[in-house]
Amino acid sequence: MDSIRKKCSTYDSENGGNFFRTPADLKQFGENQNEYNSMLAEKIEELEKRVSTLESEQKQNKELFKRLANELVSLKSDTDRLKLTSKLNTNTIDRLVKAIDIAGEGGLSETEDN
């Protein structure tokens, strides 16, 4: 970040009068410009930190969404498995009930015949 501040400095007040005589207005302008550039450098630093923070948050969110997507796939397969198990159990129960009904009807007709 120091390089940004150094690049933004347009006027060297310490060496401003060594080689050339600088009018007071120009000196004031240079100092004001340096002040403004320094403020801009600070804002740039803040923005860079903010962008860095947002990038790390985005990376974390991306990893979280990947995990959630994997969990959803797993949940769907578990749900499908439970549906199939439930359907198979229901079909088995229906067959057993029918078998009991048939056996019960057959058993009644045998006792009625005797």
Side-chain angles (χ1 to χ4, degrees):
M1 291 304 140
D2 288 333
S3 63
I4 292 175
R5 288 187 182 174
K6 287 178 184 177
K7 287 179 184 177
C8 289
S9 181
T10 57
Y11 176 76
D12 186 1
S13 61
E14 294 175 8
N15 297 322
N18 287 348
F19 299 107
F20 303 104
R21 294 242 174 217
T22 307
D25 291 340
L26 185 58
K27 181 178 180 181
Q28 184 63 41
F29 175 80
E31 288 173 353
N32 288 343
Q33 186 67 46
N34 283 348
E35 199 174 300
Y36 178 75
N37 290 348
S38 178
M39 180 194 64
L40 286 177
E42 288 177 26
K43 297 297 180 185
I44 290 171
E45 288 175 3
E46 289 175 14
L47 286 173
E48 286 177 343
K49 288 177 185 177
R50 191 170 177 191
V51 166
S52 176
T53 301
L54 289 173
E55 285 174 344
S56 65
E57 286 177 9
Q58 182 183 19
K59 189 175 182 179
Q60 290 173 347
N61 287 339
K62 196 173 186 179
E63 291 173 9
L64 178 65
F65 282 125
K66 281 182 183 179
R67 278 191 273 141
L68 289 174
N70 289 337
E71 287 182 24
L72 283 174
V73 168
S74 176
L75 180 64
K76 184 180 181 329
S77 64
D78 286 345
T79 304
D80 291 344
R81 182 184 53 80
L82 287 172
K83 284 181 185 177
L84 179 62
T85 303
S86 175
K87 186 174 182 178
L88 292 174
N89 287 340
T90 302
N91 290 342
T92 303
I93 290 171
D94 289 344
R95 282 190 224 129
L96 289 173
V97 167
K98 286 180 185 176
I100 291 171
D101 288 344
I102 292 171
E105 289 173 8
L108 287 178
S109 60
E110 287 179 12
T111 53
E112 291 175 2
D113 291 336
N114 289 339

